[in-house]
Amino acid sequence: MSDDDVPVSALLGAAYEAVVHGQGLAAREAVELVKDLGFERNGTAKPFRFAYQHTEATEDGPQVRTVHATVPLLSLINPPSISIDSAKISMSLHLISQDIEAEPTEAPTASGETPTAAKMPKLKGRIVHQWDQNAVMTIESTLKQRDLLASSRLSQLLDAAVSDRDSVWYLVLERAEPFRKAATELIDTVAQDGSKGKSVGVREWLQQLWELKEAVTDAVSAFRDGLPEKIPPLHQSWNTRCRKLTWIDRHTEPEEMAALRRAFIAAASNVWNALLPGAPVASFGPPTVEQLRDRFNAAVTALIAAPTRLAQLPERLRQLEGDVALGCTAHAYEQSKTAVDALARYNETAAEIRTMWRPFAQNAASRAAQDGLAAAAEAMWDALTPGETVVDFRTTHRFNAQELEAEISRTLKILTSQREWIRNRDLREQPPLYKLVYVCNDVAAKALEAWERPERDGLAEYVIKELKQFNDLIDGVNARFAPLELEQRPEVWRSVAQTWNKAARQFWGNLIDITSHPVADLVCPEVT
């Protein structure tokens, strides 16, 4: 048999294999096209930038505007993705041989019979040659464009990106024009001559305001040109310049200027929120009354949550919150007298809170919350009632545990040193100041022990009781020993008494409110 004799099955299989291989080559070509044409080396989609003319209706009639757009290149093309829907192969073969071969005989069955061997025809043929030309073979096929799942999903994503960008761009355009107007009005007003009374006329602000305006304008242009990477640095520049920009305070800023400034900041915030949703936008100038009130209310909430251990404090703080709300309402309706009355109510409540603080060691978080609320209250009432006095609700002494222990030790050391200077003439009794120092030592020990417990209920009552004993002893010293010492050693007595009285007030003042619970002094007449 000639070498040209080939099994017919092989001849047909080769033809079909060629069809399948052709489809595979087309698929690989589609992948290469997407990679080379659609993406940069870093994996980002290649942009396609173009511009077109757009006519808009304005108050001055139709205006032609050039619109710049940038879209992913892949969103504009359809990558080839073909499949063979049908294929018809015909060829002329010359049949060479025909064999019938039997398959191997199987084992006997249970009945003892041997099954008949299966017979399979085997055909061999040769491609017909005509005048030594190529064989005759005809293949008819139908190719169909297929949208593969992955490429279809990619097209959806790209179309969504184009759609989202267009919607954001229209939103940016919608907000950019109000910003341009607000910026122009503010800059023009600042640029006016202040001597004419039309504005503040502070020309050193102009450059800073112009740079703020340019930051927003450049960010809009960057988005238009398809350069989003330039927007965050411009946003950071806006925030940095706002924090550095100085401005006149609320009491000297004309209301016209304040309104223009607020409009400028609000319009800029709208543009930034369209370009960078959720990014914080800094402002400049004194805060509004609404912003101050929000800050005050937040500080009240923070102090209520702090570990102060004063059961009635939350109720008093809510009263302060109500007084501020009344003051804000009065300010909104320009009722200055009502605002002052609201401050008077605030001061009364603040004075009550001041007497509630026990002078034991305070938690660091509590002290920080107190400071935050005090600062917020001062700024709040400065805006509502400028020039009026605001009562501080904090106590004078706010030691932590270590500071308070050190302060008590210091004052005890002074008291102990002073007792040595006064000697009792009657040796059957202790020197008169010794008992007083013992009382102070006992009070300090009990107080320090109480600070270590989570709850200190009863400490104030104990301190009050011991202070009464201390004052009774002082009265006894003044009645029995002071006249004798003043007669025999007046200068020594006066020096000791002055030092003692100062240290004793400091000692008890760290433990209790000595305004409502006075500390008795050693008699110390002035020198005439």
Side-chain angles (χ1 to χ4, degrees), residues 417-490:
S417 64
Q418 296 307 304
R419 71 180 182 180
E420 305 293 343
W421 290 92
I422 305 301
R423 300 294 182 182
N424 188 0
R425 303 294 181 179
D426 189 349
L427 298 179
R428 290 172 299 178
E429 297 184 25
Q430 289 181 332
L433 301 185
Y434 268 71
K435 293 182 180 179
L436 294 168
V437 174
Y438 290 153
V439 171
C440 293
N441 273 309
D442 290 342
V443 171
K446 291 287 181 63
L448 291 172
E449 179 184 355
W451 293 333
E452 301 299 328
R453 298 197 303 267
E455 299 296 336
R456 306 186 182 101
D457 294 338
L459 176 60
E461 291 75 11
Y462 170 76
V463 173
I464 292 173
K465 176 182 176 182
E466 295 301 309
L467 175 60
K468 184 178 184 303
Q469 180 185 356
F470 178 89
N471 288 341
D472 291 342
L473 290 173
I474 288 288
D475 292 340
V477 172
N478 287 337
R480 295 180 57 189
F481 300 104
L484 181 61
E485 294 292 340
L486 281 171
E487 178 182 352
Q488 297 184 0
R489 298 187 298 175

Side-chain angles (χ1 to χ4, degrees), residues 50-264:
F50 61 95
Y52 61 92
Q53 302 295 324
H54 179 68
T55 303
E56 296 179 341
T58 66
E59 296 178 355
D60 300 327
Q63 298 289 331
V64 178
R65 180 171 61 87
T66 300
V67 178
H68 296 266
T70 302
V71 297
L73 185 58
L74 276 181
S75 66
L76 304 178
I77 64 175
N78 191 17
S81 178
I82 63 173
S83 65
I84 298 177
D85 191 55
S86 64
K88 180 181 179 182
I89 302 173
S90 64
M91 64 179 68
S92 298
L93 298 176
H94 177 62
L95 190 62
I96 301 300
S97 64
Q98 164 178 315
D99 294 329
I100 298 179
E101 298 179 357
E103 295 292 336
T105 303
E106 297 181 4
T109 61
S111 60
E113 297 180 357
T114 302
T116 304
K119 298 181 179 180
M120 181 69 66
K122 298 294 183 179
L123 301 178
K124 291 186 179 180
R126 179 183 302 169
I127 298 176
V128 175
H129 287 261
Q130 295 179 351
W131 307 288
D132 296 327
Q133 300 297 319
N134 292 334
V136 176
M137 182 167 59
T138 303
I139 299 178
E140 297 179 2
S141 61
T142 302
L143 304 181
K144 186 176 181 180
Q145 175 74 19
R146 297 287 186 182
D147 289 333
L148 300 180
L149 179 61
S151 62
S152 175
R153 178 56 180 156
L154 177 60
S155 297
Q156 293 175 7
L157 292 174
L158 294 174
D159 291 342
V162 174
S163 176
D164 290 346
R165 188 188 184 284
D166 286 344
S167 63
V168 173
W169 174 239
Y170 291 130
L171 180 62
V172 171
L173 283 180
E174 179 184 343
R175 298 181 178 184
E177 182 59 22
F179 169 76
R180 185 191 65 80
K181 292 181 179 179
T184 301
E185 291 181 9
L186 177 61
I187 292 175
D188 288 349
T189 304
V190 172
Q192 293 178 19
D193 187 359
S195 63
K196 297 179 181 179
K198 296 181 180 179
S199 72
V200 293
V202 183
R203 296 185 178 275
E204 47 268 30
W205 294 337
L206 289 175
Q207 182 63 32
Q208 294 172 305
L209 292 177
W210 183 263
E211 290 173 351
L212 288 176
K213 174 180 177 293
E214 287 300 300
V216 177
T217 304
D218 291 345
V220 173
S221 299
F223 187 85
R224 177 200 64 194
D225 296 337
L227 301 172
E229 66 276 4
K230 291 187 176 182
I231 298 177
L234 292 169
H235 171 258
Q236 182 60 41
S237 173
W238 166 278
N239 286 346
T240 301
R241 292 184 186 281
C242 282
R243 285 189 286 267
K244 292 182 179 180
L245 180 61
T246 57
W247 201 261
I248 49 182
D249 62 39
R250 69 175 65 254
H251 304 308
T252 56
E253 181 183 22
E255 182 56 34
E256 176 192 10
M257 183 65 67
L260 291 176
R261 174 179 55 80
R262 289 193 292 265
F264 172 76

